[in-house]
Amino acid sequence: MGLFLITECTQRKTAARLALAGVAALLFLSGCSVGPKYQRASVDTPPAYKELNGWKVAEPQDTSLRGNWWEIFGDPQLNTMEEQVSVSNQNIAAAAASFLVARAMVKEARSQLFPTVTVAPGITYASPSANSRGGVSSATTGAVTTTTTSTTTAAGAFADYSLPFDASYQVDLWGKIRSQVKANIYAAQASAADLQNVRLTAQAELAVDYFELRAQDSQKQLLDQTVAAYQNSLDLNRALYETGIASDENVAQAETQLDTARAQDTNLGILRDQYEHAIAVLMGKPPASFSIAAAPLNANPPAIPIGLPSLLLERRPDVAAGERSMAQANAQIGVARAAYFPSLTLSASAGLESASLANLFTWPSRFFSIGPQLSETIFDGGLRRATMQQYRAAYEETIANYRQDVLTAFQQVEDNLASLRVLSQEVQEEDTAVTAAQRNLSIATDRYRLGIDPYLNVITAQTALFTNQQTAVTLKMEQMTSAVQLIEALGGGWDASQLPSSASMVAKP
């Protein structure tokens, strides 16, 4: 009997060693990966921007934007509001939460690289049927079935105590899990770029709304001055009418002109309030608790560092997000390709089992089992082939989207460069037109006072001056908003090196 027990023990050890040797050999193969190597898709990049030809931009020595890009405008109130956007804007908060979701999914995928260990302690009380075999019970734990003989009570009931530990591990032979981890890392990096793009969009939108609000203040100042000038003209016509020099028709014309200007002056309040409300929402504040004091637009477009078109691929967050999505789609191809190869799962069970709680932690109560399991799909009705086609097509789609994002980025930079170039010339021409209109009005007023020309000439000159002054304010506003949009098109001082690294994705927060 003793010899039999020694032989049985030796056989178990030999079997366990063989199983472990086989596992070690299979683990050696786990470094294989069947996924395609990722390479960024090529794009046509021009050597320089076309709209810079013939237009000298006063560029700083630095070729890129730095830090808080809005500080380049030198407006303290704008600086204060922009700083609150990143803190309180709800769209940014939602994008930040989306990034945290993507980062958590990286850790979820990475957890599959490690074994899963479970414990399931249990106590079973049983009372067998009187017609069954008394005192004999069968218990199954993990992958091992054991039969124990328990001493029954007078009523035939017995107890079984167990403390099993189960472990399972899927060996990543063909890199399926590693490809999925990479895909999730790239997706999280794309989400981080999306977050920055949302932040940049909100910051640029606030700056545009701010300069448009200031333009409304300038228009208000202009209309206030125009209303005062029209009031002086009306007073003049009334005085001339009372002395018999002018007709009642001139007085009526002056009254009509004044009332029209007053209505326009009042109407400006609608758009200004809407801009103020929009700024409040961008800052995460209710419009009722926010206001901006009136001040005319006196700023000029700053010198903006342009850089080379090739740098745009690294500085635009939306382009960076598209590139990371392309890398993610490439990694998914590796996940799909690994399905063609067999999968290996290692499982082990060990624990204690006894019919007596007092004997549960004794050596004879132990049990264990260990062994690998290899599985391979023989027939799936074309599922794996269709999945491969799906991920390859998705990868080609991301390539096309990435190239389109790059083209759109180049277009937006060129559009705003052209806008600033044309507006720079147009503002100078409009300033000349305003000066000429002021001179024309002065001449027309003097000739009317002398009785040479009718009052209609004065009205025409006043209208021409007011129209040119309004246009000058509008052009100044368009210059400032185009400068903001150019900065946004250039990426707002961000670059792809700020994307979170793979190591940071799996680090504890």
Side-chain angles (χ1 to χ4, degrees), residues 14 168 193 196 201-202 305 342 365-366 368 394 407 419 430:
T14 303
S168 63
Q196 179 58 34
T201 300
S365 298
R366 75 192 187 283
F368 78 93
L407 290 175
S419 178
E430 191 58 44

Side-chain angles (χ1 to χ4, degrees), residues 47 92 111 120 165 195 211 218 258 261 270 280 288 291 309 379 403 447:
I92 296 177
S111 67
F165 293 88
L195 168 59
F211 288 125
S218 294
L258 175 61
I270 298 176
S291 62
F379 177 75
R403 288 172 173 164
R447 291 176 66 86

Side-chain angles (χ1 to χ4, degrees), residues 87-147:
V87 176
S88 304
N89 184 274
Q90 296 306 305
N91 289 333
I92 296 177
S98 179
F99 166 68
L100 294 179
V101 171
R103 190 175 68 175
M105 292 179 67
V106 173
K107 297 179 180 180
E108 289 179 9
R110 187 172 179 269
S111 67
Q112 298 180 49
L113 293 171
F114 303 93
T116 301
V117 180
T118 61
V119 59
I123 303 175
T124 303
Y125 293 95
S127 177
S129 168
N131 294 328
S132 66
R133 291 178 298 170
V136 180
S137 63
S138 177
T140 302
T141 304
V144 177
T145 301
T146 60
T147 302

Side-chain angles (χ1 to χ4, degrees), residues 172-196:
D172 192 23
L173 287 176
W174 317 111
K176 178 180 180 180
I177 298 176
R178 282 168 290 162
S179 295
Q180 187 61 59
V181 171
K182 288 181 181 178
N184 287 14
I185 288 175
Y186 298 146
Q189 290 175 332
S191 180
D194 288 336
L195 168 59
Q196 179 58 34

Side-chain angles (χ1 to χ4, degrees), residues 34 62 161 239 288 450:
V34 296
D62 195 358
Y161 301 91
L450 296 173

